[in-house]
Amino acid sequence: MGPIHVRTILAFLPVSMAIAGCSVSLTPEETVCEMSLTKAPASGISSLDLFYYNDDTESRLDSYQRFTDVGTQVLGASRNGKKSVVAITNLREDRYSWSDISSLPSLEKVVARLDEDSPSEPVMSASAHIDAGRQSSCSMVFRPVMSEVILRSIRCDFSSRSYHDAQLEDIEVYLTNVCTAWPVLKDTLAHSSDYVNVGRADSTTMSKMAHPEYIYSHPGTKVGSATVRPDLHFFCYPNVEKEESLGSPFTRLVIEGTLEGKRYYYPVNVNRRSDAKGVERNCVYILDMVLTRRGTTDPDTAVDTETAQITVSVVDWNDKGKQYVSY
């Protein structure tokens, strides 16, 4: 998915015109913005919500439009003056309440929900500041709320163990401590209490999800000394808690399988090595793993470097179409 650039050209237009299928009347103090959208062909947009807020201490709503037929151009109207412009795509809301959108601080509290989101039409947001009626153009880049965790390759290297020929059988792969709700406009630290698969795979909770495949897969593959490339894709929302606690667990990728008749786990903290911040929005985490000994008997205790060698590649969601070479 490429970045979606929005160029806003401000110009006075006739007093009455159609915007998103609706007739609006403009006073001489109002401006219509012609927005030219450039996006990658695979970037789906089913809806686009456009908000103009007064760029002052109260940040009150000036205008709001929803577009459900988004091509290469849309038109949005606001009154003249300095504005904060916010655009949100694909949020699964039929309508916002006035309390949700009456001010910019109110909109900042609106959350996206993972089970209603879609990798092909992700919830995204973008913002800009304009001087409506004076400024000739501006650009905004949309960024998805969700991130992706990919298990690209896995193999076993038990060559120094007494069980050197053993294989990990009937594997399951899943995310634990998955954040499922996140403020649409937030980039920085925000605490969330909405987690699923806390500590382990929760079959009861996943059975109620519309998209359990976002966080769980049961390929049943055998893994031995030869590299297996399952290319499993999982999706989650940010988890950037600075310290792990009962109320703020780190998101993990867990490989579970049977080794010599016993079930073992290989939990990996996602993006927590050295000074990494954890799961951030708009990122893709690509893992290649070499298992070097028996795993843990607990799916919520992260493995150490003696148990698994892990290589992690991190790219922006916008760069996910690139080719990656296994190593």
Side-chain angles (χ1 to χ4, degrees), residues 68-313:
T68 55
D69 183 12
V70 182
T72 58
Q73 290 185 324
V74 294
L75 297 173
S78 75
R79 288 181 292 183
N80 292 338
K82 293 183 177 180
K83 308 294 177 186
S84 297
V85 186
V86 178
I88 298 173
T89 69
N90 302 322
L91 193 63
R92 307 310 194 253
E93 298 280 353
D94 290 335
R95 64 175 61 188
Y96 294 86
S97 69
W98 175 247
S99 61
D100 287 336
I101 66 173
S102 60
S103 68
L104 184 54
S106 296
L107 187 66
E108 289 173 344
K109 297 177 183 178
V110 172
V111 300
R113 302 199 176 276
L114 182 66
D115 209 27
E116 298 173 356
D117 209 337
S118 168
S120 60
E121 293 183 349
V123 175
M124 300 182 285
S125 65
S127 62
H129 296 277
I130 66 170
D131 192 349
R134 285 174 167 261
Q135 189 173 335
S136 61
S137 65
C138 75
S139 63
M140 296 188 290
V141 178
F142 284 91
R143 301 173 67 247
V145 178
M146 65 167 38
S147 283
E148 186 172 8
V149 180
I150 301 173
L151 178 61
R152 180 169 57 181
S153 70
I154 181 174
R155 68 181 180 90
C156 299
D157 181 4
F158 300 144
S159 56
S160 62
R161 313 293 176 186
S162 59
Y163 46 92
H164 52 81
D165 291 328
Q167 292 184 319
L168 190 68
E169 300 180 352
D170 188 30
I171 69 166
E172 299 175 57
V173 186
Y174 47 87
L175 298 181
T176 60
N177 308 325
V178 182
C179 179
T180 60
W182 190 261
V184 177
L185 305 186
K186 274 282 188 180
D187 284 336
T188 56
L189 178 65
H191 178 72
S192 176
S193 58
D194 293 276
Y195 290 94
V196 297
N197 275 7
V198 177
R200 62 181 59 246
D202 183 348
S203 59
T204 301
T205 297
M206 289 190 291
S207 68
K208 299 176 182 177
M209 292 179 63
H211 296 286
E213 71 278 6
Y214 286 1
I215 61 174
Y216 176 86
S217 178
H218 186 186
T221 310
K222 287 184 179 181
V223 179
S225 58
T227 299
V228 176
R229 293 177 174 82
D231 193 34
L232 299 175
H233 296 242
F234 303 98
F235 302 93
C236 58
Y237 279 169
N239 182 345
V240 289
E241 298 285 357
K242 292 183 178 180
E243 295 183 0
E244 188 168 32
S245 67
L246 289 176
S248 54
F250 290 167
T251 299
R252 308 192 222 284
L253 175 74
V254 181
I255 297 171
E256 176 183 339
T258 299
L259 187 65
E260 297 186 310
K262 188 173 181 180
R263 209 72 176 159
Y264 290 100
Y265 305 90
Y266 295 86
V268 178
N269 289 333
V270 179
N271 201 38
R272 290 287 179 177
R273 295 281 178 91
S274 62
D275 60 348
K277 297 179 180 179
V279 178
E280 300 180 87
R281 70 178 286 176
N282 186 45
C283 288
V284 181
Y285 304 95
I286 306 161
L287 281 70
D288 297 285
M289 296 182 59
V290 180
L291 311 181
T292 54
R293 70 177 185 184
R294 294 187 181 97
T296 70
T297 56
D298 175 9
D300 205 32
T301 300
V303 295
D304 55 31
T305 55
E306 294 183 358
T307 304
Q309 299 170 3
I310 305 159
T311 302
V312 181
S313 303

